[in-house]
Amino acid sequence: MHEEINPWSSQAAPDAERIFAEFGIEPLGSLADRIRDPPPFFRRGIIVGHRDYAPIAAAMEQQSPFHVLTGFMPSGHPHLGHLMVMKEVVWHVQRGGTGYVAVADREAHAVRHIPWDKCREFGKEYLLCLYALGFTGTAYAQSTNEKLKDLAFEAATRVNFSDLSAIYGFSQDTGLAHAMSVITQVADILYPQLDAGPAPTIVPVGVDQDPHIRLTRDVAHKLRMFTVEQREGLVSVRSKEAPAEALQAVADAFAGSRQYEGHVDVPGGDLAAVAETVRSIERAHGGFGFITPSSTYHLFMPGLQGGKMSSSVPESSFSFAEPADSVKKKVMNALTGGRMTKEEQQRLGGEPDRCPVYQLNRFHVAEDDCELAEIREACLAGRLLCGTCKKQTYARVNTFLCDFKERMDAVRHRVEDVYGPDTQ
Ligand code: TRP
Ligand code: SF4
């Protein structure tokens, strides 16, 4: 059996390249060049891999419909480590995507044993951040979305326990609610298409979430009534479990088509056009017509103290409601890529690629590319020393946080639209 990526482990992030090759994630490569006016996470090589991003890039180019969805587990305060995905979602919405955010309270309750009132409290904080960053669209909590739960049940008809043990290493001891939270995440990823109709859906995540993406892509395919494939000189539409009337409707839709037991051939048909017609026939007969969802994978910012960034290691990150002096202390005490002595650093230069302070600038607080390049060059040349660099970095962090807090105050009322006013 292959080594699994475990989405719930607090171990160091697995080696991205090996994982990519093993699980068939594509490196971003030249797809990045297709993006007009790319945001920092594309320009700075933070998004490194994808599955089927091409249909999303095409939808942005052609201004055709697409969806963007991600989810957050409300098991603690949102912090620096969540900011990248939030920015990715907001950017895709700004580029024309229909936005969705799931608060994964079922997962937090099942896997992390977070009480419901805490799920609600943390969930609100996540939404506040998202709205402050400019998110518009649908936000929901898993536990109160009835359509989502029905979709999860339907998805569960296509998954068995051996799938779960192969993908997640689930065993006899795995709780049933844990398994239910997995299928709920599958439903999250398909939900935009249920809610707003089939369209390419981009799910920005860290590579730790890839097992869920793989499972969802598999389920999306299994829930289809038909497969549509290009063959030599024809498009073949094969029924997997379509009702007879639906297959008949496919045959009737294409003049000159040939109908056989369980499939229809469309000679000279255009693959994309046939696929779209078949999808609407499927939907007219009660099917979902899901388009297999796409994903991007971003690098993780290292913890400020080195090591992994995690809410269970307070000095590795800061939250957005944290007092300024505490944030300042964490930045000033951060690990750097600096040398042992001042003299040595002036002579050899620092090592920005190994430096969490530099990464903080690269991921979030140095907005201008020239400014970032200047930090890097000055560090490498030994002109910039870590004390000064940290002070300047903290000033940027502080500007960012002050502005962010102001924006959060301005959108607080919108969180109530999702959760209702607090009654306690
Ligand atoms: N499992 C994710 C986490 O641990 C949260 C999540 C729930 C999610 N549903 C999702 C992520 C849908 C992406 C898409 O953070
Ligand atoms: Fe890191 Fe700045 Fe020191 Fe360079 S000068 S190693 S970027 S803290």
Side-chain angles (χ1 to χ4, degrees):
M1 191 166 91
H2 59 244
E3 203 177 314
E4 290 107 16
I5 316 174
N6 179 350
W8 301 281
S9 117
S10 53
Q11 305 295 303
D15 166 31
E17 262 175 42
R18 186 180 58 74
I19 293 287
F20 281 17
E22 186 169 345
F23 292 103
I25 297 174
E26 301 285 330
L28 189 65
S30 60
L31 252 184
D33 305 335
R34 271 181 73 174
I35 295 151
R36 184 178 43 81
D37 193 10
F41 45 82
F42 279 120
R43 294 198 308 267
R44 298 180 182 180
I46 291 167
I47 292 184
V48 283
H50 72 101
R51 291 186 189 271
D52 277 351
Y53 195 71
I56 306 296
M60 291 191 290
E61 279 163 12
Q62 293 153 16
Q63 305 195 328
S64 57
F66 72 100
H67 307 309
V68 52
L69 170 130
T70 201
F72 298 94
M73 186 160 41
S75 56
H77 300 290
H79 62 74
L80 201 52
H82 303 111
L83 198 54
M84 186 51 66
V85 168
M86 292 184 180
K87 288 180 176 174
E88 289 174 56
V89 172
V90 170
W91 180 80
H92 281 98
V93 171
Q94 287 164 347
R95 290 293 164 105
T98 312
Y100 288 84
V101 168
V103 176
D105 55 353
R106 286 201 137 183
E107 185 180 7
H109 191 70
V111 183
R112 302 265 191 256
H113 313 295
I114 308 296
W116 292 110
D117 58 336
K118 282 282 167 195
C119 286
R120 181 183 166 96
E121 186 186 317
F122 294 139
K124 284 180 161 190
E125 292 179 20
Y126 278 94
L127 295 184
L128 200 54
C129 291
L130 280 152
Y131 289 136
L133 291 168
F135 176 76
T136 53
T138 304
Y140 64 83
Q142 289 174 334
S143 66
T144 54
N145 186 337
E146 295 304 320
K147 269 167 70 184
L148 176 85
K149 288 188 274 187
D150 288 346
L151 179 57
F153 188 79
E154 207 62 49
T157 65
R158 307 303 149 115
V159 178
N160 60 32
F161 280 98
S162 69
D163 298 327
L164 296 181
S165 62
I167 299 174
Y168 301 103
F170 280 7
S171 71
Q172 301 284 306
D173 302 328
T174 304
L176 190 51
H178 193 163
M180 288 177 75
S181 75
V182 165
I183 206 69
T184 307
Q185 177 154 351
V186 167
D188 284 332
I189 297 171
L190 298 175
Y191 183 74
Q193 300 193 65
L194 179 73
D195 188 57
T201 304
I202 179 66
V203 186
V205 284
V207 74
D208 62 313
Q209 297 295 307
D210 187 55
H212 300 302
I213 302 288
R214 272 183 274 135
L215 177 61
T216 309
R217 287 167 59 90
D218 190 38
V219 169
H221 178 75
K222 285 183 172 152
L223 285 170
R224 290 296 312 266
M225 286 178 179
F226 296 100
T227 53
V228 183
E229 279 167 0
Q230 184 75 60
R231 297 274 160 79
E232 199 149 318
L234 57 85
V235 175
S236 154
V237 182
R238 200 162 279 278
S239 162
K240 296 199 292 174
E241 48 182 50
E245 314 83 75
L247 189 64
Q248 187 60 51
V250 170
D252 295 346
F254 301 103
S257 66
R258 294 191 293 262
Q259 187 171 2
Y260 303 91
E261 176 77 30
H263 78 280
V264 170
D265 284 346
V266 185
D270 172 64
L271 179 66
V274 173
E276 275 326 293
T277 304
V278 169
R279 195 184 310 286
S280 50
I281 292 170
E282 177 172 325
R283 288 181 26 97
H285 289 81
F288 292 108
F290 287 135
I291 293 176
T292 304
S294 311
S295 50
T296 52
Y297 304 91
H298 58 81
L299 295 176
F300 290 104
M301 206 199 126
L304 294 174
Q305 86 307 357
K308 197 187 173 200
M309 184 176 284
S310 155
S311 28
S312 56
V313 185
E315 51 307 349
S316 71
S317 181
F318 49 80
S319 74
F320 306 119
E322 206 162 311
D325 54 342
S326 162
V327 175
K328 182 168 187 184
K329 216 196 249 153
K330 288 180 181 179
V331 175
M332 296 311 290
N333 289 338
L335 180 78
T336 69
R339 307 286 174 176
M340 296 299 279
T341 65
K342 179 177 167 185
E343 182 280 323
E344 210 182 319
Q345 182 142 351
Q346 285 169 330
R347 189 159 46 84
L348 300 171
E351 297 181 282
D353 295 327
R354 302 179 45 188
C355 173
V357 178
Y358 179 73
Q359 297 305 329
L360 176 55
N361 282 289
R362 174 185 175 211
F363 274 66
H364 296 299
V365 295
E367 278 173 20
D368 179 57
D369 283 355
C370 294
E371 186 179 38
L372 184 70
E374 171 56 27
I375 298 168
R376 186 184 174 79
E377 277 155 33
C379 170
L380 285 170
R383 272 185 278 127
L384 182 61
L385 298 182
C386 296
T388 314
C389 182
K390 283 174 168 181
K391 269 191 213 134
Q392 292 169 349
T393 301
Y394 174 68
R396 289 180 207 113
V397 168
N398 192 42
T399 308
F400 166 73
L401 285 180
C402 291
D403 176 59
F404 198 26
K405 281 176 190 161
E406 245 173 60
R407 286 166 192 257
M408 284 196 232
D409 285 336
V411 296
R412 215 165 281 277
H413 61 283
R414 287 180 56 197
V415 172
E416 290 193 357
D417 299 343
V418 177
Y419 275 98
D422 272 322
T423 45
Q424 295 92 327

